[in-house]
Amino acid sequence: MDIIKGIRGVKDILPEETSRWRFIEETARRWATLYGFHEIRVPIFEVTTLFARSIGASTDIVEKEMYTFQDRDGTSLTLRPEGTAGTVRAYIEHNRAADPVPQKYFYSGPMFRHERPQAGRLRQFNQFGVEFFGTADPRADVEVMALLWRMLSDLKLPALTLEVNNLGSGPDREIYRPLLVTYLRQIHEELCGNCRRRLETNPLRVLDCKVATCRSATEAAPRLADSLSEDARSYFTAVLTGLDAIGIPYHVNHRLVRGLDYYCLTTFEVTSTHLGAQNAVGAGGRYDGLVHMLGGPSTPAVGFAVGLERMALMLDQQAMTSTIQSLTVYVAGFGPCGSTSGFSVLDQLRVAGISAASDYRSSSLKSHLRQADRLKARFTLILGDDEVEKGIGLLRDMNTKDQHDIDLTHLIPRISSLLQAS
Ligand code: ATP
Ligand code: MG
C-alpha cells in the first residue's frame, strides 16, 4: 500500500525539536507578559470576507495565498493567513473598546498561506504576535518594537536589524501614489512581471519587491517621506526619539512598505542576514483604521507578528536553557511479581510528581537497564520477584552506578530527598 505523506510545505515538529519550540514560545510569552500583554486565542478559520476586507484585495495574501473553502451551507471560509484580522474581529465582537484599560493582546499559533515551500517558507507556519489597541501615542509603537527587539535579542538570534519606516496617513499616500505611478510607468520595462501588475493594483508594493532588478530600477523613485504631512513627520520623529531614549538600535528604511493594506504611520521589520532569501523574522506596524473598517469604533492600534519557524532556524542550541524534562526513575520490573509491582510503583511515582517510565517489552534486567540508559534516567528501580517478596527494591544511581536497597513503603520520600540532595 502507498504510504500517506504529509502535505508539501506542512511540517511535523518531532519530539527532538519541541523543546526548542517550547523555549522560543515560553521566551516570547514571558516578554509579552512583562510588557503587559495578555493571551488571546482566536479561531483558526473565519469567514473569507474578514481577511479579504482587512488585509486588502490586491495583496499577495488575498490574491493568491489563502486556503479558502466552502462550508456545507455555501459560506466561504478561510484558514487564517495571519492573526490580526481575527483578533480585531474578536475585539469588536466582544466590545472590548468599552473596557477603560488599554487592550493589549498576544497570540501564538498556526497560520496558513499557499506559498512556494522553501527553507523558512511553509504553507502551515506559526506566528507569535501582539496587538495593542486604543492608544494613538507614539510610545505605544516604541513599546511594541522594544518588545519585539528585546525578545529576539534575549533569544540571542544573530545579526538582527530593526528597520523602521513611516507610511504616513491615507491622504499622505493619496498624494504620493500618483507621483510613484508616474515614475514607475517610466521604468516599466525594467520591472518584473509581478511588479508590472502591482503597478496597477498596489504600486507601493513595488518598492518592497525582492527582485534585484526591481530594486535597482526603483532606487531613484520619489520617496514617500517627501509627501508626508507635518503631523506624520512629527509622529515619526517621536517614535525615533522614543527608540533612542530606551536604547533600541534601528535603521530607517524608506522602502519598507508592508504587504498588508491596513498599515499607516509606523511600519517596521526585523531582519537577519542569517536567514538567506527569507530574511524577515518579524514585522508589524500601526493600523489605526482597521477596527473601524471592520465595523468597530474608531480605534488606533499597533502590533507585530514574528515567524516561529524562522526563529527556530536561527536559534543556537547553546542559547537554550534546558527545558527538557528528563526522566527521573526508570522502573525495571521483571518476573511475575516484579512486573506487577513495577506497574503500580510506576503509577505511584507519577502521581507523586516524579517522572517515571518503563518499557513493557523488556522482560530481563539486562534489557531494562539498556532502555534506562537510552532514556537517560537518573535512577533505575530494580524490582525482581525476590525484592518484591521482601518489600524492597534496588535503587540504582545511573550516574555513579551505586545501588542500594530501598523500602518500597518509603519509596517516594526517599527518592524526593535524594533528588533534593543532588
Ligand atoms: P515575507 O516577505 O517573508 O513573505 P511577509 O511580509 O509575508 O513575509 P508577514 O505577513 O509580515 O510576512 O508575517 C510576519 C512573519 O511571519 C514573517 O516575518 C515571517 O517570519 C513569518 N512568515 C510569513 N510567511 C511565512 C511562511 N510562509 N512560512 C514561514 N514563516 C512565515
Ligand atoms: Mg509573504
Side-chain angles (χ1 to χ4, degrees):
M1 245 206 300
D2 284 347
I3 297 169
I4 298 171
K5 295 206 171 144
I7 302 164
R8 217 164 90 80
V10 177
K11 270 199 178 166
D12 300 306
I13 301 172
L14 298 172
E16 297 83 77
E17 303 162 66
T18 43
S19 60
R20 165 190 288 262
W21 276 79
R22 255 200 328 272
F23 179 70
I24 294 173
E25 285 160 355
E26 279 162 14
T27 304
R29 277 164 198 275
R30 184 162 50 76
W31 278 99
T33 307
L34 280 171
Y35 278 72
F37 289 83
H38 299 285
E39 185 175 10
I40 185 166
R41 299 192 185 200
V42 292
I44 279 172
F45 62 128
E46 302 265 5
V47 293
T48 305
T49 37
L50 172 67
F51 302 113
R53 223 201 280 171
S54 60
I55 298 167
S58 56
T59 55
D60 285 356
I61 294 181
V62 174
E63 272 184 347
K64 51 182 196 218
E65 294 174 359
M66 296 205 302
Y67 280 97
T68 296
F69 58 97
Q70 252 187 20
D71 204 353
R72 286 161 197 254
D73 66 359
T75 317
S76 179
L77 303 177
T78 293
L79 298 183
R80 63 181 188 192
E82 51 95 67
T84 302
T87 308
V88 169
R89 184 209 35 76
Y91 174 87
I92 297 169
E93 195 166 330
H94 303 286
N95 191 23
R96 306 297 289 196
D99 197 319
V101 298
Q103 300 292 295
K104 299 169 75 175
Y105 306 144
F106 74 81
Y107 61 81
S108 183
M111 306 295 162
F112 306 84
R113 296 184 195 177
H114 192 279
E115 303 201 64
R116 204 160 56 81
Q118 48 196 295
R121 191 175 292 289
L122 297 161
R123 291 182 172 173
Q124 174 173 335
F125 61 99
N126 290 273
Q127 281 185 341
F128 181 92
V130 309
E131 315 293 354
F132 185 159
F133 292 102
T135 305
D137 192 299
R139 282 172 293 187
D141 308 45
V142 174
E143 180 174 308
V144 161
M145 284 188 267
L147 165 58
L148 175 59
W149 183 258
R150 302 235 192 271
M151 175 198 290
L152 298 176
S153 306
D154 188 28
L155 287 165
K156 301 186 177 57
L157 303 188
L160 299 175
T161 308
L162 170 63
E163 305 201 21
V164 199
N165 194 20
N166 179 11
L167 291 181
S169 63
D172 293 343
R173 287 197 297 281
E174 286 314 309
I175 295 170
Y176 174 64
R177 212 179 135 106
L179 303 177
L180 178 66
V181 170
T182 307
Y183 176 85
L184 294 177
R185 291 234 159 88
Q186 286 161 14
I187 55 144
H188 183 265
E189 295 296 306
E190 296 163 63
L191 298 175
C192 73
N194 236 342
C195 282
R196 288 182 191 178
R197 206 170 36 81
R198 285 178 184 138
L199 169 51
E200 305 305 328
T201 59
N202 200 345
L204 262 72
R205 284 286 279 147
V206 174
L207 298 176
D208 215 20
C209 183
K210 303 280 188 301
V211 177
T213 48
C214 292
R215 296 193 75 87
S216 56
T218 53
E219 206 57 64
R223 281 182 171 191
L224 174 55
D226 298 326
S227 296
L228 295 176
S229 65
E230 209 42 59
D231 282 356
R233 281 169 210 251
S234 61
Y235 193 92
F236 195 48
T237 307
V239 168
L240 301 183
T241 308
L243 289 170
D244 288 333
I246 56 171
I248 306 284
Y250 58 84
H251 169 76
V252 176
N253 174 358
H254 291 291
R255 305 176 62 110
L256 181 68
V257 229
R258 305 281 309 124
L260 296 81
D261 274 0
Y262 50 60
Y263 288 116
C264 66
L265 293 168
T266 315
T267 52
F268 56 93
E269 191 163 270
V270 173
T271 57
S272 169
T273 49
H274 280 234
L275 276 173
Q278 271 62 60
N279 68 350
V281 191
R286 183 160 274 287
Y287 53 96
D288 290 347
L290 184 60
V291 178
H292 186 61
M293 199 173 85
L294 290 177
S298 181
T299 308
V302 54
F304 71 71
V306 273
L308 299 189
E309 278 74 10
R310 294 190 195 170
M311 288 160 87
L313 276 175
M314 288 198 293
L315 184 72
D316 185 344
Q317 210 69 29
Q318 303 291 309
M320 277 178 58
T321 52
S322 178
T323 54
I324 302 166
Q325 180 73 54
S326 57
L327 177 62
T328 306
V329 183
Y330 181 93
V331 178
F334 55 99
C337 302
S339 304
T340 311
S341 166
F343 187 64
S344 54
V345 166
L346 252 184
D347 193 58
Q348 285 164 29
L349 286 163
R350 290 165 175 168
V351 168
I354 297 167
S355 69
S358 190
D359 186 341
Y360 302 128
R361 299 170 305 179
S362 303
S363 53
S364 70
L365 178 57
K366 198 172 153 205
S367 67
H368 270 308
L369 288 176
R370 202 181 307 132
Q371 295 306 66
D373 263 333
R374 287 182 178 141
L375 292 169
K376 301 190 173 53
R378 176 79 185 78
F379 300 103
T380 298
L381 180 66
I382 300 166
L383 295 170
D385 289 348
D386 293 351
E387 284 83 14
V388 173
E389 219 160 87
K390 289 187 251 168
I392 59 159
L394 263 178
L395 191 71
R396 182 182 172 94
D397 184 317
M398 299 301 281
N399 297 336
T400 62
K401 309 290 177 216
D402 279 351
Q403 230 166 254
H404 59 269
D405 290 355
I406 187 162
D407 184 341
L408 287 182
T409 52
H410 295 116
L411 180 65
I412 306 292
R414 278 299 304 281
I415 290 181
S416 302
S417 63
L418 282 170
L419 285 173
Q420 265 165 18
S422 67

